[in-house]
Amino acid sequence: NTELKAYFLGLLYADGCNHKDANYISLALEQTDEEILKILCAMIYKENPESQIKTSDRTVDDKGITKYFTINSKHICAMLEKHGCMQAKTFKLVYPDWLQDNLHRHFIRGYFDGDGSIYSDKNKKRYTFKITSTFAFCNGVKNVFKKFVGVNLNTYPHESVFDLMSCGNRQVKSILNWLYDDCN
């Protein structure tokens, strides 16, 4: 029901793990994104939230240094599942169309920060916006962009998931402006 909660729900949809059977959730990000974890930990832990963030050296498998945290809470696991972020979610995600209209962009921004990208052609003249997820999730995001931004995106199969994409500098700029302007 707030911008930050919607953002972090989106980020957890993308990169979080709900280990409901073991009553904990975890979120690992690149070391450069540690500030995001600090904000989330400060929302949950009142005393010394930064002590909850741990470091993992994954240079052996080319993942570099990551920062992560875990929350041991049966209640939070259950609430995340209730809100669509379930255990083993990779092939089950559905877009949370129950979100209030003012929260869609924050949720999608969180998801995009986890499982999205912007890339350009080799001459850096044309940009493409991309989100990867299930067909149902991509379709939900597609509907939100059509409703709130007036941009049409296309869904393409990619191995066992789907890519939702928009090409063209004006469309990509409209998407990014909607996601990032005037947000925390």
Side-chain angles (χ1 to χ4, degrees):
N1 59 1
T2 69
E3 175 183 339
L4 274 176
K5 289 178 186 177
Y7 175 85
F8 283 115
L9 182 62
L11 188 61
L12 287 166
Y13 261 58
D15 284 341
C17 294
N18 184 350
H19 306 277
K20 187 178 177 213
D21 293 344
N23 297 322
Y24 76 95
I25 65 162
S26 61
L27 178 63
L29 300 175
E30 292 181 16
Q31 184 173 7
T32 56
D33 293 328
E34 181 178 8
E35 194 61 36
I36 295 170
L37 291 178
K38 289 179 182 178
I39 294 167
L40 179 58
C41 285
M43 290 173 60
I44 297 166
Y45 299 100
K46 300 299 178 208
E47 293 185 28
N48 202 10
E50 291 184 24
S51 69
Q52 302 298 319
I53 300 170
K54 310 294 183 216
T55 303
S56 176
D57 184 352
R58 299 188 59 193
T59 52
V60 175
D61 55 3
D62 292 329
K63 299 214 184 223
I65 305 294
T66 60
K67 295 290 186 169
Y68 70 95
F69 82 101
T70 59
I71 301 171
N72 296 300
S73 171
K74 184 176 183 177
H75 173 73
I76 291 177
C77 289
M79 293 305 293
L80 279 173
E81 182 176 66
K82 176 182 173 186
H83 289 93
C85 189
M86 73 287 291
Q87 186 166 314
K89 66 186 176 351
T90 303
F91 302 110
K92 300 185 240 177
L93 280 183
V94 175
Y95 187 82
D97 54 11
W98 48 263
L99 283 169
Q100 298 168 8
D101 282 354
N102 64 320
L103 298 177
H104 286 286
R105 74 186 189 113
H106 306 299
F107 173 84
I108 294 171
R109 186 176 66 254
Y111 189 88
F112 176 74
D113 283 355
D115 277 341
S117 62
I118 299 281
Y119 61 92
S120 64
D121 62 15
K122 61 183 174 182
N123 298 321
K124 297 195 182 213
K125 292 184 179 181
R126 183 177 169 141
Y127 291 90
T128 300
F129 171 90
K130 181 174 89 167
I131 284 179
T132 302
S133 190
T134 64
F135 181 79
F137 186 88
C138 287
N139 197 45
V141 174
K142 181 179 184 176
N143 292 337
V144 169
F145 278 121
K146 187 171 186 174
K147 178 179 178 180
F148 292 102
V149 188
V151 172
N152 289 313
L153 289 91
N154 297 305
T155 307
Y156 302 97
H158 179 84
E159 297 175 9
S160 56
V161 291
F162 291 83
D163 288 334
L164 180 65
M165 300 170 67
S166 179
C167 299
N169 295 350
R170 278 182 274 170
Q171 288 198 139
V172 171
K173 185 175 189 227
S174 294
I175 290 168
L176 294 178
N177 286 344
W178 183 72
L179 288 176
Y180 289 95
D181 281 358
D182 300 320
C183 63
N184 293 317

